[in-house]
Amino acid sequence: MLLSRQAVAAPLVACFCLLGVSLIQFPQLQILLRSKQAPSLEIIERELHSESLRLNLLKKMPSFGYGNLIANWVYLSYLQYFGDDEVRGKTGYSLSPEYFEVILERDPRFLAAYLSLSSSTTIYAGMPERSIGLMEKGLKSLSPWVPKRSYYVWRYKGIDELLFASNTESAQQSFATASDWASNFSDEESQLVAESSQRTARFLSQNPSTRSTQISAWVMVLNNQVDERTRKRAISEIEALGGKVTSSPEGNRITFPQD
């Protein structure tokens, strides 16, 4: 009888937890996103603070066996957050890794999330180290066969390591592993990934210096809608690699090093 009550109670507790978190999320954030009037920066920052608190609560909340459901739900919230270009142009994308920490903790095999994680956290938020760290943790739960095409996660990680973290050795290993995982499959897509990843790993072993490639990657960050902190980070990285950034009303002009 006791076990039966526990079996019934667990889903109810999970539902109440989800309902509670939803109530935290909905009052202002959803109204803000749908409003036709442009909200003030003060209101936006207040709502982002509330969203940050909600995500922190989700990190600590037990899943009661509903990890995949929570991951899907948070991913939908992330898509809404990322897709609001007008607001992101004012605040940047600093909450991106917080969404993915929740998503991948609940469902580390959520393959689509890794692709969004890499672009949103690395390129838009300018936090490649955070993106790489989340992928490294998630990869501990993956295998060459589960989920399907999981070799792409190694490629995303390798790209971030190569272009943004200046870690050529780790990038070479990531591309080599992507090739190994993809070579387990005979379909055309997997074979192409295996071949291209192996070529990249081989190239990096022979050409460890990739300054111009790394500068180009940080230029991508600089040209996206980013906050002031991320803009300064991108300029600092470009200059540390030997490039020069000249700002003008027409945009940024990048001077690459002679080599």
Side-chain angles (χ1 to χ4, degrees):
M1 184 68 175
L2 179 59
L3 290 175
S4 177
R5 289 178 178 176
Q6 290 177 340
V8 173
L12 288 175
V13 172
C15 290
F16 280 122
C17 287
L18 287 172
L19 177 60
V21 176
S22 298
L23 290 174
I24 295 174
Q25 177 189 18
F26 268 88
Q28 301 269 348
L29 185 62
Q30 302 302 315
I31 295 174
L32 179 64
L33 291 173
R34 295 191 182 100
S35 175
K36 293 183 180 180
Q37 296 181 345
S40 68
L41 184 59
E42 181 182 357
I43 293 175
I44 293 172
E45 290 179 344
R46 187 162 62 244
E47 298 309 323
L48 286 178
H49 179 66
S50 297
E51 181 71 346
S52 178
L53 293 176
R54 182 183 77 93
L55 292 170
N56 285 330
L57 176 60
L58 283 168
K59 290 176 187 178
K60 301 173 184 178
M61 189 184 80
S63 62
F64 299 102
Y66 294 91
N68 288 3
L69 177 63
I70 295 173
N72 290 335
W73 176 54
V74 176
Y75 188 66
L76 291 175
S77 297
Y78 157 75
L79 292 176
Q80 190 175 50
Y81 165 86
F82 184 79
D84 193 345
D85 295 334
E86 181 179 354
V87 174
R88 297 289 73 75
K90 297 177 181 178
T91 68
Y93 296 79
S94 60
L95 284 186
S96 290
E98 307 306 322
Y99 282 104
F100 289 107
E101 184 173 346
V102 175
I103 293 167
L104 296 178
E105 182 68 29
R106 304 295 179 170
D107 184 7
R109 296 175 176 176
F110 196 155
L111 186 61
Y114 287 97
L115 176 57
S116 299
L117 161 68
S118 180
S119 61
S120 178
T121 301
T122 298
I123 297 178
Y124 286 88
M127 301 180 190
E129 297 89 353
R130 188 79 182 276
S131 177
I132 292 167
L134 289 170
M135 282 189 277
E136 284 179 344
K137 185 176 181 180
L139 278 165
K140 295 177 182 178
S141 300
L142 307 187
S143 74
W145 299 274
V146 180
K148 189 177 180 181
R149 298 185 178 88
S150 57
Y151 46 74
Y152 276 115
V153 181
W154 283 107
R155 283 183 60 86
Y156 304 150
K157 178 172 172 285
I159 290 170
D160 282 359
E161 290 166 335
L162 172 62
L163 300 188
F164 300 101
S166 304
N167 193 337
T168 307
E169 185 176 350
S170 292
Q172 178 189 343
Q173 183 59 50
S174 292
F175 281 108
T177 305
S179 178
D180 290 341
W181 283 28
S183 63
N184 287 288
F185 304 94
S186 59
D187 62 280
E188 183 179 1
E189 178 183 357
S190 298
Q191 288 300 304
L192 286 173
V193 170
E195 182 180 350
S196 64
S197 298
Q198 184 57 45
R199 281 201 308 268
T200 303
R202 190 182 307 115
F203 172 82
L204 292 176
S205 68
Q206 299 169 354
N207 303 275
S209 178
T210 57
R211 285 201 302 168
S212 294
T213 306
Q214 292 163 6
I215 290 173
S216 297
W218 279 108
V219 171
M220 290 172 57
V221 176
L222 187 61
N223 289 337
N224 280 313
Q225 291 181 330
V226 293
D227 56 25
E228 184 64 16
R229 179 185 60 81
T230 305
R231 189 185 72 84
K232 289 181 178 179
R233 165 77 187 278
I235 292 174
S236 176
E237 293 286 349
I238 291 169
E239 292 178 345
L241 290 164
K244 182 179 179 181
V245 180
T246 304
S247 298
S248 69
E250 291 74 30
N252 298 304
R253 186 169 70 87
I254 313 298
T255 303
F256 284 74
Q258 292 299 318
D259 60 347

